[in-house]
Amino acid sequence: MNNISTYNLKWLSLNTLSLILLCILIVLSISIGVADWSWGELFSFQGGRSSQLLFVSRLPRTFAILLAGATLSIAGMILQILLRNRFVEPSMTGATQSATLGLLIMILLFPTASLLTKMSIATVSALFGMGIFVLLLQRLPKTQLLLVPVVGIIYGGIIQSISTFLAYRSDTMQMLSVWTSGDFSGVLIGRYELLWVTSILAVIAYIMADRLTIAGLGKNIATNLGLNHNRIIWIGLTIVSMITAVVVVTIGSIPFIGLVVPNIVSRLSGDQLRKNLPSVALIGACLVLVCDILGRIIIFPYEIPVSTVFGVLGTIIFLYLLYYQPRRPQLTSASNEKLR
């Protein structure tokens, strides 16, 4: 009972602190930018430039950051649960690279296709790419967990090289660079609304959290509990593919989010998927907001893409989580007597 109360207290404290930090970062994100901005003009209810800038640029950009950071983190956690490996995320399973390749092929063959059609093809491509990766995993030793991300990086690099070759031959390298580097500088009203689809997918993932957790325990356990293991696995992979495709179509790929954030939350509050999803979403949104703000102020008035900033920061955080070993409490003489 004490352990449960301690866990609930940690979970509540983590979410409360994350929510407070998120509110502060939202205010900073709205305030920082090249264009002139005044909170006084906004609250004077006289309209003007600040009001127009808020609704046309600042709020859409902030919403896009929140949605991308939260849902990519959730996608990474789902993938880690289903594949039973803490060292994977969409860009390490070929999903991001496959979605980019699907988009490029659509641009080359059907340049006038609608945005919804492009998103659908990108989703199918991401799902197909992850399906091949899952088949590759079946040939790897179960005990060699670090082989999974290594194979994923090589696999994703092969797909990325195919995309680069096609883009080079078709003179679309600039377009490819937009999809491979996540950047929120071009987000305006009317250019980000597709990201709200990912919030629906996040809600579906939360509803299915228990089933996804059971499916991640293995086929035998899931079948004994009355679940169709293969169906749940493919539903989870489809959710991850759709989130990845929508983010790539809208703002480009952002690496390490789905890898770093779930590991941070698991280290702090355990492995309960349903309880961890809100924490994962909040921390993911906070980290992407931090990286976007840093990208705007490091070389102001110019910007560094958020994918570059998060690539550096995410690598440092993950290496720390990888090598840091929490101290185990020392047993006192009284504790030793109790154990005896």
Side-chain angles (χ1 to χ4, degrees):
M1 185 65 68
N2 291 333
N3 291 335
I4 295 176
S5 300
T6 303
Y7 173 80
N8 290 333
L9 183 61
K10 286 183 178 180
W11 178 82
L12 183 61
S13 301
L14 178 62
N15 286 350
T16 302
L17 291 175
S18 300
L19 188 59
I20 294 173
L21 178 61
L22 184 64
C23 293
I24 296 172
L25 291 173
I26 288 174
V27 174
L28 288 176
S29 177
I30 293 175
S31 304
I32 296 174
V34 177
D36 294 333
W37 168 263
S38 172
W39 284 101
E41 181 181 354
L42 181 66
F43 287 115
S44 65
F45 302 104
Q46 296 178 357
R49 180 180 176 85
S50 294
S51 178
Q52 182 180 7
L53 186 63
L54 175 69
F55 292 104
V56 173
S57 176
R58 299 290 174 87
L59 276 182
R61 176 170 184 156
T62 303
F63 286 145
I65 295 169
L66 296 178
L67 291 169
T71 54
L72 282 177
S73 302
I74 291 174
M77 189 161 198
I78 293 173
L79 205 55
Q80 291 177 12
I81 292 294
L82 295 180
L83 300 183
R84 291 184 285 180
N85 194 299
R86 289 293 182 189
F87 303 104
V88 295
E89 61 130 8
S91 64
M92 289 185 176
T93 59
T96 303
Q97 295 84 355
S98 298
T100 303
L101 180 60
L103 273 176
L104 181 61
I105 293 175
M106 280 297 298
I107 292 297
L108 295 179
L109 298 180
F110 306 100
T112 59
S114 65
L115 187 61
L116 183 60
T117 303
K118 294 175 183 177
M119 187 199 76
S120 301
I121 296 301
T123 300
V124 173
S125 300
L127 187 59
F128 182 74
M130 274 200 299
I132 296 177
F133 180 75
V134 171
L135 293 177
L136 291 175
L137 290 186
Q138 297 178 0
R139 297 184 175 274
L140 296 179
K142 301 296 183 182
T143 57
Q144 299 295 325
L145 297 179
L146 291 178
L147 278 180
V148 176
V150 172
V151 172
I153 292 172
I154 296 173
Y155 174 64
I158 294 173
I159 299 175
Q160 184 66 38
S161 65
I162 296 174
S163 300
T164 304
F165 175 77
L166 292 177
Y168 178 77
R169 297 283 294 182
S170 58
D171 198 20
T172 54
M173 286 295 296
Q174 186 174 2
M175 187 177 297
L176 181 65
S177 65
V178 173
W179 296 327
T180 55
S181 60
D183 187 13
F184 295 95
S185 60
V187 174
L188 297 171
I189 189 170
R191 296 185 183 179
Y192 84 101
E193 283 76 8
L194 191 63
L195 281 172
W196 288 106
V197 175
T198 61
S199 64
I200 300 175
L201 295 171
V203 172
I204 295 174
Y206 182 79
I207 295 172
M208 295 188 60
D210 294 334
R211 297 182 182 182
L212 293 171
T213 301
I214 294 173
L217 296 176
K219 186 173 184 179
N220 293 333
I221 296 177
T223 303
N224 290 336
L225 293 175
L227 291 181
N228 188 324
H229 180 262
N230 291 332
R231 180 185 300 172
I232 298 299
I233 289 291
W234 283 108
I235 290 175
L237 293 181
T238 301
I239 292 174
V240 174
S241 301
M242 291 186 68
I243 290 175
T244 304
V246 171
V247 173
V248 169
V249 168
T250 310
I251 55 100
S253 62
I254 306 176
F256 291 115
I257 297 179
L259 178 67
V260 171
V261 177
N263 279 282
I264 293 175
V265 175
S266 297
R267 179 68 65 90
L268 295 176
S269 60
D271 295 323
Q272 297 188 32
L273 180 60
R274 181 177 293 278
K275 281 198 170 184
N276 283 352
L277 281 181
S279 303
V280 167
L282 287 172
I283 294 179
C286 287
L287 283 178
V288 178
L289 263 176
V290 168
C291 292
D292 183 70
I293 292 171
L294 288 175
R296 279 186 269 178
I297 64 177
I298 290 176
I299 55 172
F300 187 85
Y302 305 102
E303 289 191 24
I304 301 175
V306 68
S307 59
T308 303
V309 180
F310 200 96
V312 176
L313 183 63
T315 301
I316 296 173
I317 294 175
F318 184 70
L319 288 175
Y320 173 78
L321 293 173
L322 191 63
Y323 287 102
Y324 173 73
Q325 297 295 332
R327 294 181 179 179
R328 296 181 179 180
Q330 298 291 332
L331 291 177
T332 62
S333 57
S335 301
N336 290 331
E337 292 295 331
K338 290 181 180 181
L339 290 176
R340 292 175 184 175

